[in-house]
Amino acid sequence: MVFKVSRVETSPIDGQKPGTSGLRKKVKVFKQPHYLHNFVQATFNALSADKVRGATLVVSGDGRYYSKDAIQIIIKMAAANGVRGVWIGQNGLLSTPAVSAVIRERVDANGSKASGGFILTASHNPGGPNEDFGIKYNMENGGPAPEGITDKIYENTKTITEYFIAEDLPDVDISSIGVTSFGGPEGQFDVDVFDSASDYVKLMKSIFDFQSIQKLVTSPKFTLCYDALHGVGGAYANRIFVEELGAQESSLINCTPKEDFGGGHPDPNLTYAKELVARMGLDKSKPQSDPPEFGAAADGDADRNMILGKRFFVTPSDSVAIIAANAVEAIPYFSSGLKGVARSMPTSAALDVVAKHLNLKFFEVPTGWKFFGNLMDAGMCSVCGEESFGTGSDHIREKDGIWAVLAWLSILAFKNKDNLDGKDLVTVEDIVRQHWATFGRHYYTRYDYENVDAGAAKELMANLVKLQSSLPDVNKIIEGIRSDVSEVVQADEFEYKDPVDGSISKHQGIRYLFKDGSRLVFRLSGTGSEGATIRLYIEQYEKDSSKIGRESSEALAPLVEVALKLSKMQEFTGRSAPTVIT
């Protein structure tokens, strides 16, 4: 059978502007006639011809509701646009880091590599018929499309008049591994459904010492719990933690990927990962007699992670700093040294202190993984992270939740290599407290105000910028709120000049930097699908080792009060409390 290419007339649909995380909207928006088709065609039109005609593309995602329909539409459109082959993870499942790895590493039977891929995910946002769907394009380096491409896609969505689709191409069975071939006007078109985990597991085994981790994991003294929150991480959990590392199957919870994430919110934080938090002994209302030594969770597309010890939470800002401080001795991939480290601007300065201590190149970048990708492609950065539970390295060009879990298990295995017989284990909490004793502690919290009126959010931000014109006035206001808070020595709107391509990113968040190393940061987030989300980051640096054991909420209380009153949060937003505190 030779499929035919149909040209379908269409017209622009408003609001198809992709961010660094692609296009995210409610499922019902994506189900509108021509909606997905327009965006996919606009993407093909934004890419150079050699990345489409005769090329191989990856198409998969986190398995959320509407993914299966979207995959069939993209296959038919890829065929009609002259793509030579499409690779799909079995059942349409590939984590975002696995897509990056597959684009970078996989070679098919014909010796072809992929030139890019569509990832179907709305990351940590809920899934289901009334929830969110998303699509983003990743380039041949495995990283998200840069602004030059996403801007072009958006311009194309505003002028589109037609799209191409092979409507008579039958749906492909994506549940069975194997290659299905079709004949088209330009020759053969192949759809290759492959095992979701194999390429990724192979990559992980080339980075970490699985034998030493296995010794730890199978020790009777060590127990772990991994919660995939019914996201795509479940497609990897059994293979890696049980089959490769020897953990008990009972160590895995919510590891069956579901279209609606089991009705939960697949965001790995203390608010949404309720079952794991309780199991690890962190839910005061459900005391646990003997929680596991180590716990971790993933988000919907498994690029984010949360790390927990027994009754102990590791902040993502501390996590990346601790991984960087221990990487060279604990992880074989980094044994020859780190090229540099980087963090997103709102992430705490814990990594800065490690970089200074170890004399490493250090970069502070805007939020968005592509900025790390540029540094990595240029050989300038090995380990990076952001406070929103994303941690990664230059093995791929996305953040990687399972990589972060394996990094922590590697550090635990290294610290415990001599005391698995008899002696007490060095725990997650021990490692973190030792780190604070060496480098100081960055008390840190984030307040999210979700679905705020967009106009009110803009006014609040504009007022904060206006205040910055006179620091004496700001300090006078702060003095009136709390006299025990240090003074502001610098305030600005963060701007980044990329050292690799020279591009400048403006308006990346509003910063108030205090004399004692503390910080307040305010920014609007672009990852939600409705309204505006205001994010407020509060950080207090403590070098005095006698004061690093305080409760976070107690240490941060004065700065929290300053932040809320200085920004007039309640007056502008009408909110007396944040939606989520992390």
Side-chain angles (χ1 to χ4, degrees), residues 317-579:
S317 298
D318 279 345
S319 182
V320 65
I322 290 165
I323 291 171
N326 292 281
V328 173
E329 55 183 13
I331 300 169
Y333 180 83
F334 300 115
S335 58
S336 57
L338 300 179
K339 296 165 189 159
V341 293
R343 65 165 172 83
S344 66
M345 183 275 286
T347 302
S348 96
L351 186 63
D352 315 31
V353 182
V354 170
K356 204 171 171 185
H357 206 86
L358 300 180
N359 204 15
L360 292 169
K361 270 190 205 148
F362 168 79
F363 303 91
E364 181 180 28
V365 307
T367 299
W369 211 258
K370 61 183 179 186
F371 298 104
F372 295 133
N374 267 3
L375 295 170
M376 290 171 178
D377 284 346
M380 295 158 82
C381 174
S382 296
V383 170
C384 59
E386 49 187 30
E387 52 66 43
S388 52
F389 295 81
T391 329
S393 96
D394 61 352
H395 67 291
I396 53 168
R397 294 297 177 268
E398 289 277 6
K399 48 187 173 267
D400 190 344
I402 288 177
W403 173 91
V405 173
L406 291 169
W408 265 94
L409 289 172
S410 300
I411 294 165
L412 281 161
F414 178 77
K415 301 273 187 195
N416 285 295
K417 63 181 189 295
D418 299 323
N419 58 358
L420 288 176
D421 315 320
K423 292 193 199 127
D424 284 344
L425 284 181
V426 176
T427 65
V428 169
E429 183 173 350
D430 293 336
I431 290 167
V432 176
R433 290 193 182 280
Q434 183 54 57
H435 185 88
W436 292 340
T438 308
F439 299 102
R441 178 174 181 184
H442 293 259
Y443 288 99
Y444 185 86
T445 190
R446 179 178 110 190
Y447 282 28
D448 286 5
Y449 296 82
E450 293 173 0
N451 295 335
V452 170
D453 175 78
K458 281 194 179 117
E459 279 179 39
L460 179 143
M461 298 298 273
N463 187 53
L464 281 165
V465 172
K466 202 171 88 187
L467 279 175
Q468 292 183 341
S469 59
S470 168
L471 287 189
D473 288 352
V474 167
N475 283 318
K476 208 167 168 181
I477 296 168
I478 290 172
E479 175 74 21
I481 303 167
R482 290 289 300 223
S483 58
D484 55 348
V485 166
S486 173
E487 66 174 358
V488 173
V489 288
Q490 190 193 332
D492 61 11
E493 229 183 323
F494 182 60
E495 191 171 291
Y496 177 68
K497 185 175 181 193
D498 194 303
V500 180
D501 62 19
S503 62
I504 293 172
S505 303
K506 299 183 177 192
H507 310 298
Q508 293 296 317
I510 294 161
R511 303 190 296 177
Y512 285 82
L513 311 177
F514 294 75
K515 194 175 185 175
D516 65 356
S518 300
R519 302 189 314 156
L520 292 179
V521 174
F522 300 81
R523 60 180 281 273
L524 297 179
S525 165
T527 58
S529 64
E530 292 184 302
T533 294
I534 300 171
R535 293 206 161 132
L536 158 59
Y537 310 84
I538 302 153
E539 174 181 353
Q540 172 84 44
Y541 182 49
E542 184 56 74
K543 276 193 293 202
D544 182 342
S545 58
S546 69
K547 292 182 184 169
I548 57 172
R550 294 161 75 196
E551 275 295 317
S552 213
S553 53
E554 175 206 335
L556 290 165
L559 265 181
V560 168
E561 193 181 334
V562 165
L564 297 180
K565 287 183 177 164
L566 187 68
S567 64
K568 299 185 174 171
M569 186 66 76
Q570 189 161 354
E571 287 156 68
F572 279 110
T573 66
R575 304 285 179 87
S576 58
T579 321

Side-chain angles (χ1 to χ4, degrees), residues 163-178:
Y163 62 81
F164 300 96
I165 186 164
E167 282 171 334
D168 60 346
L169 196 73
D171 281 1
V172 175
D173 176 7
I174 58 172
S175 66
S176 305
I177 289 174

